[in-house]
Amino acid sequence: SKLGKMLKKFGSEFLRTRFSSILSKRGRSSGTDKLHSALSAIVGEKNAAWSLAAREQHNHDESFHAGGTPENCVWPNSVEEVSEVAKFCSKNHISMIPFGTGTGMEGGVVPQNKTICVNLTNMDRISDLNLEDFDVKVQPGVTRKSLNRELRDTGLWFPVDPGADASICGMAATGASGTNAIRYGTMKQNVLNLEVVLADGTILNTAGPKRRCRKSSAGYNLTDLFVGSEGTLGFITSTTIRLHGIPESTLAAVCSFPTVADAVNTTIQVLQCSIPIARIELLDSFTIDAVNKYSSLENKVAPTLFLEFHGSQKGTEEQVDQVSEIATLNGGSEFSWASTTEERSQLWQARHDCLYALLAQRPGSKCYSTDVCVPVSVLSEAIQYSKDVLDDSGLTAGTVGHVGDGNFHCLIILDPGNEKELLGVKMAADMIAKRAIDLGGTCTGEHGIGIGKKELLKSELGAEGISVMRSIKNTLDPLNLMNPYKVIE
Amino acid sequence: SKLGKMLKKFGSEFLRTRFSSILSKRGRSSGTDKLHSALSAIVGEKNAAWSLAAREQHNHDESFHAGGTPENCVWPNSVEEVSEVAKFCSKNHISMIPFGTGTGMEGGVVPQNKTICVNLTNMDRISDLNLEDFDVKVQPGVTRKSLNRELRDTGLWFPVDPGADASICGMAATGASGTNAIRYGTMKQNVLNLEVVLADGTILNTAGPKRRCRKSSAGYNLTDLFVGSEGTLGFITSTTIRLHGIPESTLAAVCSFPTVADAVNTTIQVLQCSIPIARIELLDSFTIDAVNKYSSLENKVAPTLFLEFHGSQKGTEEQVDQVSEIATLNGGSEFSWASTTEERSQLWQARHDCLYALLAQRPGSKCYSTDVCVPVSVLSEAIQYSKDVLDDSGLTAGTVGHVGDGNFHCLIILDPGNEKELLGVKMAADMIAKRAIDLGGTCTGEHGIGIGKKELLKSELGAEGISVMRSIKNTLDPLNLMNPYKVIE
């Protein structure tokens, strides 16, 4: 097999060098008295911790990536305190990692060297809600669900939905997206302004102190430089975002297809007809089977699209007619409807439960999620290639995808104690990502580079791109203190 | 009057320092033999010019900003030639200005020092058209109209429409938008990848050599750093853009209102109802009157919205019903329809002729266009303030706006030979921009900073923002050779 050959070729060296951060837990040095006192003086005694328990809560995210444990954790209460912490660390050459909800997928918050962790979630203010302009400012402690709860009676919502109840500032840092991106865009399209603390403590408003208008051509786009920078350029201490009107009508349906290609072709044709679909999610038959077992459902075991339509009553009905016509032409089943809010929640719960359903297939297992995104015309090819690689590697995986954007995840189920399996997973994931890059895609549609994809980023961007990114990093963080060893070396 | 006071306060010093670049034509030094020979060796004899006529074609755009005249003009034929020119200039510390169609509005191509001009329009290839993915790659010689002509039979189009038939690469450089942005976004939302030549000749693909997928979280967003950089960070030698499906149905209408506030309130309510309107343009009564006279039309002389609806047959009809209901509630007139393609062209021709109609009011006059953009909730206030400032200054202006985005232009008619009037215009424009910034807006929604708005950029971004922009500029162009003295000092 290809994987067998690669294992033979690179074997243990590959294991040791490329994935050392994943496979070995680095030494956990304890915090020092002096550092703790200095940080306590800034954020207050009760907002600084150096107990192992507190520090170990901040040494991982939802991924497999393991590293060190921070020396100290602090919970600043204001942007000024974040700035003071940064100034102190800058002066003393101490690395800093911003921490939100810890729901990242690529080890973005996992220490790679001696560092402190700055947990920003004490700052949880929602302010400057402008109902006429559809915008609001949120601090890092505000998650998308908590914001949407606050907005409940306003007729507005924030639709970017990566699945996890992530911090909105963290979503900005990661460049997150998810199921609604096809209609409402990713974080990039929804962030209007950021308040950022740079490594040296400078407080920067990326679009100036006040700007929140819908567009601007005023100078370099600093906002989008920080969106997706994964904490390597500074702390995001508040995010001004665009909100959207809750649609008058929401319809959801499920439709199964003979093959993945039929489901993808349906998606392509929906896009070609400019139908403003809100969600179009693919689950392969393996995943459907797992979901059925997990939740005692009776979905047909076949590649399936989960669809959602937002708009006016008439508008959504028209969208449904058009999409069901396209689906039928591609061999799709009748739509199975979720008409009430409860049925709709149940439908999407099934989608969001995929991961747990797959994990339940193999007790004690963990999941590694690939995250490639390709042009939709080559999506079937990329998915088929992924399946071939995973089969070839003897790995078990379900495939789910935000197919309208060309973004899909192979949720690979594995035994985390089995180093050979873990290596196989990483090698398969690399092959899938490299093919995606070759097809005009990206190694990460929404999870970010974090620790594990730095080599892939080089393949994707080329030496010139990496060099420009590095020079920007060096300029804004010359001492390499902000979340070091992430994104680029 | 306020302006009177400001004139008294700042008077001639203001004139001399702030607007020296506008008011004085700098000395036109002639090209040198040696430079010409060196450049000819790179691009070929026939693609280099140092005649005064050729050079004077490249010393202005559509604005008032005047400066020097380039030493030499070159027309490279490939990205490699652009790179060679950059290497040569870098080595010899010669400034470079990228030039496209010369349709900029803020002097972005106007020399501020000894420089050569690199006219990129010989590179005019359209390539990599992907009909299934809705994307295409264009070189700087491709304008939006020429691209849309090429796309005619594909069912696709490129909707970003700043009015002028600008180069798409130039539109990326400026961060242009225009009438369709409310539905299809600005250049920022439509650029997938850029090929850029840096000051030192490095050829960079901002999203890697191949990427053209709809989204990515792979590293820093270099693409959006170059979108809107106005030639100060490098030459944009090709742009990969998103295309859109030509809507099944297009309807256009005109509706007049008792006051500007009524028209703006209609716009706000249309946005609040999430109606996916394609164009919503405001013309004030002064402009309507000018348009009527210019084109022998009989529009009611009142604040008027020009509207366009894109979608399915049913969808556009529903949009029209909703919008006309909202308009009626705000005192709007019956919709006057443009049903055929010809009538629609005529309707929009009237909109695009605004400038000429206003100029015809005062023979021999020229126009200066403001370009602020504000949150829509304060749009009426910003427009009213503008009118007050202009009235107070005794200036004549029509107001037109992409009101759905909160972006409006005061088209100020003036005698370019009258320095006092010109100064009055600039001071009024500054006041309008400063108020917009104070209201959460920007000094430029789509024209860019160029020469004239560098001070305003400081007001808008603050010292920290300017400092970060400058450090990025210094990093990518340490010798300050790329379009110097634009955007930031």
Side-chain angles (χ1 to χ4, degrees), chain A residues 62-81:
Chain A
E62 289 186 3
S63 76
F64 267 90
H65 300 291
T69 292
E71 304 287 298
N72 262 274
C73 301
V74 292
W75 285 259
N77 293 295
S78 66
V79 62
E80 290 77 17
E81 286 186 4

Side-chain angles (χ1 to χ4, degrees), chain A residues 24-283:
Chain A
S24 73
K25 287 230 170 199
R26 291 194 183 166
R28 294 172 180 163
S29 51
S30 66
T32 66
D33 233 346
K34 204 175 147 193
L35 177 58
H36 182 68
S37 306
L39 293 169
S40 296
I42 298 171
V43 297
E45 182 69 37
K46 71 174 179 14
N47 296 313
W50 63 321
S51 73
L52 187 62
R55 294 188 291 117
E56 286 197 335
Q57 276 168 19
H58 294 85
N59 70 0
H60 61 277
D61 60 4
E62 289 186 3
S63 76
F64 267 90
H65 300 291
T69 292
E71 304 287 298
N72 262 274
C73 301
V74 292
W75 285 259
N77 293 295
S78 66
V79 62
E80 290 77 17
E81 286 186 4
V82 177
S83 170
E84 287 306 312
V85 168
K87 280 178 194 162
F88 170 79
C89 289
S90 224
K91 195 173 159 192
N92 295 283
H93 291 213
I94 298 164
S95 296
M96 303 164 262
I97 297 181
F99 198 98
T101 51
T103 46
M105 302 290 285
E106 287 298 337
V109 296
V110 178
Q112 298 296 291
N113 66 337
K114 240 173 117 161
T115 183
I116 67 156
C117 177
V118 182
N119 184 317
L120 297 162
T121 55
N122 269 7
M123 297 169 65
D124 60 357
R125 207 167 55 238
I126 298 171
S127 65
D128 304 86
L129 173 62
N130 293 291
L131 295 177
E132 283 195 306
D133 297 316
F134 288 31
D135 59 52
V136 69
K137 189 187 279 191
V138 294
Q139 287 188 326
V142 180
T143 66
R144 64 179 186 87
K145 284 187 184 170
S146 65
L147 176 64
N148 281 330
R149 269 195 303 274
E150 285 296 317
L151 294 174
R152 206 170 26 206
D153 299 325
T154 64
L156 301 181
W157 70 313
F158 182 64
V160 184
D161 176 4
D165 187 20
S167 153
I168 290 167
C169 289
M171 288 163 63
T174 313
S177 44
T179 50
N180 285 307
I182 180 74
R183 175 160 181 145
Y184 299 96
T186 68
M187 285 308 285
K188 176 183 147 184
Q189 281 89 37
N190 285 285
V191 175
L192 294 169
N193 202 340
L194 296 170
E195 181 187 71
V196 168
V197 175
L198 301 181
D200 66 1
T202 300
I203 300 170
L204 167 73
N205 295 284
T206 55
K210 293 186 177 181
R211 196 166 88 201
R212 57 184 182 84
C213 53
R214 292 171 60 108
K215 64 179 198 182
S216 172
S217 290
Y220 308 149
N221 187 339
L222 300 183
T223 304
D224 284 317
L225 182 60
F226 282 88
V227 171
S229 63
E230 303 187 43
T232 62
L233 299 179
F235 298 92
I236 296 178
T237 51
S238 95
T239 303
T240 305
I241 47 174
R242 286 178 69 163
L243 302 172
H244 298 262
I246 293 176
E248 178 193 328
S249 163
T250 300
L251 299 173
V254 167
C255 177
S256 65
F257 291 84
T259 66
V260 165
D262 294 324
V264 169
N265 285 337
T266 299
T267 306
I268 292 175
Q269 288 158 27
V270 166
L271 295 173
Q272 284 182 323
C273 294
S274 305
I275 299 167
I277 201 158
R279 288 172 156 159
I280 184 161
E281 295 286 305
L282 172 72
L283 281 73

Side-chain angles (χ1 to χ4, degrees), chain A residues 133 175 177 188 210-212 215-217 220 224 232 312 318 376-377 407 438 440 442 444 446 460 475, chain B residues 133 175 177 188 210-212 215-217 220 224 232 312 318 376-377 407 438 440 442 444 446 460 475:
Chain A
D133 297 316
S177 44
K188 176 183 147 184
K210 293 186 177 181
R211 196 166 88 201
R212 57 184 182 84
K215 64 179 198 182
S216 172
S217 290
Y220 308 149
D224 284 317
T232 62
S312 63
E318 189 185 25
V376 285
S377 66
N407 184 202
D438 206 47
T442 178
T444 174
E446 55 186 16
E460 186 169 328
T475 299
Chain B
D133 298 316
S177 44
K188 176 184 148 183
K210 292 187 176 180
R211 198 166 89 200
R212 59 184 181 83
K215 64 179 197 184
S216 172
S217 291
Y220 308 149
D224 284 317
T232 62
S312 63
E318 190 186 23
V376 285
S377 65
N407 185 202
D438 205 46
T442 178
T444 172
E446 56 186 14
E460 185 168 330
T475 299

